[in-house]
């Protein structure tokens, strides 16, 4: 193969994967606090295993949100995902809540006061990425891995995929020619199923949804289409494997096609730059590509706890840029306030829009009327073009 000819693989996991159950519960807690007080502070972690859920973390917000409230939220999430199994049941699981008040030391560094702007909730580096491989300006392997599981989830909730359970994973390997994806060389789907279904039965249920999720003609050869390769996947979800918030950060972002700063998103209110600055970096990268200033763009932002302005803004257009990258970095800082307060205001993050991000990726989604996925807008194109002259 030439340098532009290669295979690249990304994976996704469904809303019923144990880690994603945790992400959803943690983000439901964030939304509950923001719905009542936009100045709430939340850092919530969730653990799930066989018929047990544990919530822990620190919060600052309305006292009307009690341990009983959080327990009810957790049960609702589990029920909506679809867990009514012997080993993990929304009504029967033991739910423990160990959530306490936010550290005063952290609050002192983060809060806005007097002439002091709101500081970053922690130090860290965050990355954003965009490319022209899909209409969503996302890497194609991850885009289609998400699409397969989203199709299966819709079918399961609608009753059109009988016998399938909530827990599933996908993996898509695409062939690139001259740097452009042209088709799948293999597809893997592992999905929880009813005991009476054979491996061939599951394959027959799953296959049409995979074909529908991929572009026409992209389906791999049949001997490279793997469904439940172990042969059986009846025991699944938290009963089959423990889950923890924040363990699927590559699934949440770019499927390995771009760097990751290391910080998870779910369970964190938008003053935490692990979340908000990663959204801002994606927003900026997507607008660079949408403005035809590059066909690929990676952006890194760096912050220090308690400090408002980013320590650095790094731009890499991978040799596809139309203007100098240092000039582009300056333009990005000119068109968007990259302080935590500025990011939150620009993207409208201080509202309950995060539970919906917990499965099938935080990026590459459609902006929603209530402000959900606001970081996927391309409304910076004209300001950015003006800024670069």
């Amino acid at each position: 193969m030439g340098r532009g000819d290669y295979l690249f693989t990304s994976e996704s996991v469904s809303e019923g994967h144990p880690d994603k159950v945790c992400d959803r519960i943690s983000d439901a807690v964030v939304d509950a606090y923001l719905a009542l007080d936009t100045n709430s502070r939340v850092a919530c972690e969730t653990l799930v295993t066989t018929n047990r859920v544990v919530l822990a973390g620190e919060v600052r917000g309305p006292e009307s949100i009690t341990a009983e409230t959080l327990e009810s939220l957790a049960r609702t999430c589990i029920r909506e995902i679809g867990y009514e199994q012997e080993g993990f049941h929304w009504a029967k699981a033991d739910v423990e809540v160990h959530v306490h008040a936010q550290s005063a030391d952290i609050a002192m560094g983060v809060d806005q006061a007097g002439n002091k702007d709101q500081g970053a909730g922690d130090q860290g580096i965050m990355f954003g990425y965009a490319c022209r491989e899909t209409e969503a300006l996302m890497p194609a392997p991850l885009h289609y891995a998400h699409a397969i599981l989203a199709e299966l989830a819709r079918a399961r909730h609608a009753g059109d995929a009988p016998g399938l359970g909530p827990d599933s994973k996908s993996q898509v390997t695409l062939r690139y020619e001259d740097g452009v994806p042209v088709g799948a060389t293999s597809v893997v789907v592992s999905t929880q199923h009813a005991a009476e279904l054979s491996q061939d039965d599951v394959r027959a249920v799953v296959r049409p949804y995979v074909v529908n999720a991929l572009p026409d003609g992209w389906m791999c050869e049949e001997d490279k289409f793997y469904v439940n390769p172990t042969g059986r996947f009846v025991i699944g979800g938290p009963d089959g494997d423990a889950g923890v918030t924040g363990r699927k950060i590559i699934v949440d972002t770019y499927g390995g096609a771009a760097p990751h700063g290391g910080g998870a998103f779910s369970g964190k209110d938008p003053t935490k730059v692990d979340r908000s600055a990663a959204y801002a970096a994606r927003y900026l990268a997507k607008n660079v590509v949408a403005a035809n200033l590059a066909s690929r763009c990676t952006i890194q932002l760096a912050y220090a706890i308690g400090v408002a302005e980013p320590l650095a803004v790094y731009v890499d257009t991978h040799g596809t840029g139309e203007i100098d990258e240092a000039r582009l970095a300056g333009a990005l800082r000119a068109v968007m306030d990259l302080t935590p307060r500025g990011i939150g205001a620009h993207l409208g993050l201080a509202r309950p829009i995060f539970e919906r991000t917990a499965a099938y990726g935080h990026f590459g989604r459609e902006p929603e009327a209530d402000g959900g996925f606001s970081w996927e807008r391309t409304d910076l194109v004209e300001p950015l073009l003006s800024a670069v002259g």
Side-chain angles (χ1 to χ4, degrees), residues 335-372:
V335 299
M336 185 177 182
D337 179 353
L338 293 175
T339 65
R341 177 188 54 78
I343 292 170
H346 191 111
L347 297 179
L349 298 182
R351 47 184 152 184
I353 55 174
F354 298 111
E355 183 179 347
R356 69 194 75 170
T357 69
Y360 314 117
H362 292 244
F363 307 128
R365 311 280 287 273
E366 287 294 321
E368 297 178 347
D370 67 350

Side-chain angles (χ1 to χ4, degrees), residues 19 22-23 26 45-46 244-249 252 262-266:
D19 294 331
C22 294
D23 285 346
S26 292
E45 311 293 342
T46 305
V244 179
T245 301
R247 289 205 300 189
K248 289 294 177 284
I249 57 178
D252 287 342
F265 304 155
S266 291

Side-chain angles (χ1 to χ4, degrees), residues 51-329:
N51 269 334
R52 184 174 296 273
V53 181
V54 180
L55 280 71
E58 56 178 30
V59 297
R60 188 179 73 200
E63 294 184 359
S64 59
I65 298 178
T66 64
E68 290 73 21
T69 307
L70 301 184
E71 176 182 342
S72 178
L73 280 175
R75 294 191 189 279
T76 298
C77 290
I78 296 165
R79 176 173 53 81
E80 291 180 352
I81 291 169
Y83 277 112
E84 293 186 342
Q85 300 170 3
E86 182 179 353
F88 196 68
H89 194 294
W90 67 270
K92 299 176 182 177
D94 180 24
V95 180
E96 301 177 27
V97 178
H98 305 281
V99 175
H100 58 82
Q102 183 189 50
S103 160
D105 290 349
I106 292 176
M108 181 176 63
V110 175
D111 288 348
Q112 183 176 351
N115 294 324
K116 176 184 174 298
D117 200 355
Q118 181 188 86
D122 201 353
Q123 70 176 47
I125 56 174
M126 299 83 206
F127 286 93
Y129 180 73
C131 63
R132 293 208 181 115
E133 293 180 13
T134 63
E135 290 185 2
L137 303 185
M138 286 289 287
L142 179 67
H143 179 82
Y144 295 116
H146 283 324
I148 289 168
L149 295 186
E151 287 277 339
L152 286 173
R154 280 191 289 269
R156 179 174 61 83
H157 285 297
D160 296 332
L164 297 192
D167 190 1
S168 59
K169 302 177 75 171
S170 66
Q171 184 171 284
V172 175
T173 300
L174 297 185
R175 184 176 76 258
Y176 285 71
E177 294 179 358
D178 294 326
V180 178
V182 297
T185 61
S186 67
V187 175
V188 184
V189 177
S190 296
T191 180
Q192 188 181 18
H193 60 89
E196 63 269 19
L197 295 184
S198 69
Q199 186 179 23
D200 288 341
D201 292 335
V202 177
R203 182 187 183 93
V205 172
V206 167
R207 191 182 187 283
Y209 298 103
V210 174
V211 172
N212 188 56
L214 296 173
D216 289 344
W218 276 38
M219 184 61 179
C220 63
E221 297 178 2
E222 286 303 309
D223 64 345
K224 301 298 182 184
F225 176 42
Y226 305 98
V227 176
N228 287 0
T230 65
R232 180 179 168 87
F233 188 4
V234 174
I235 300 173
D239 187 30
D241 190 11
V244 179
T245 301
R247 289 205 300 189
K248 289 294 177 284
I249 57 178
I250 299 302
V251 169
D252 287 342
T253 53
Y254 307 103
H260 194 291
F265 304 155
S266 291
K268 298 175 182 177
D269 74 76
T271 68
K272 277 71 170 176
V273 284
D274 276 344
R275 178 167 229 158
S276 58
Y279 290 171
R282 161 64 178 173
Y283 176 61
L284 294 176
K286 185 174 184 180
N287 277 271
V288 167
V289 174
N292 294 316
L293 294 173
S295 58
R296 286 178 64 202
C297 182
T298 300
I299 292 175
Q300 184 202 60
L301 304 176
Y303 291 85
I305 188 169
V307 179
E309 291 288 342
L311 306 182
V313 178
Y314 167 82
V315 179
D316 183 0
T317 54
H318 307 276
T320 70
E322 296 297 323
I323 64 170
D324 176 74
E325 287 159 337
R327 182 177 163 204
L328 181 55

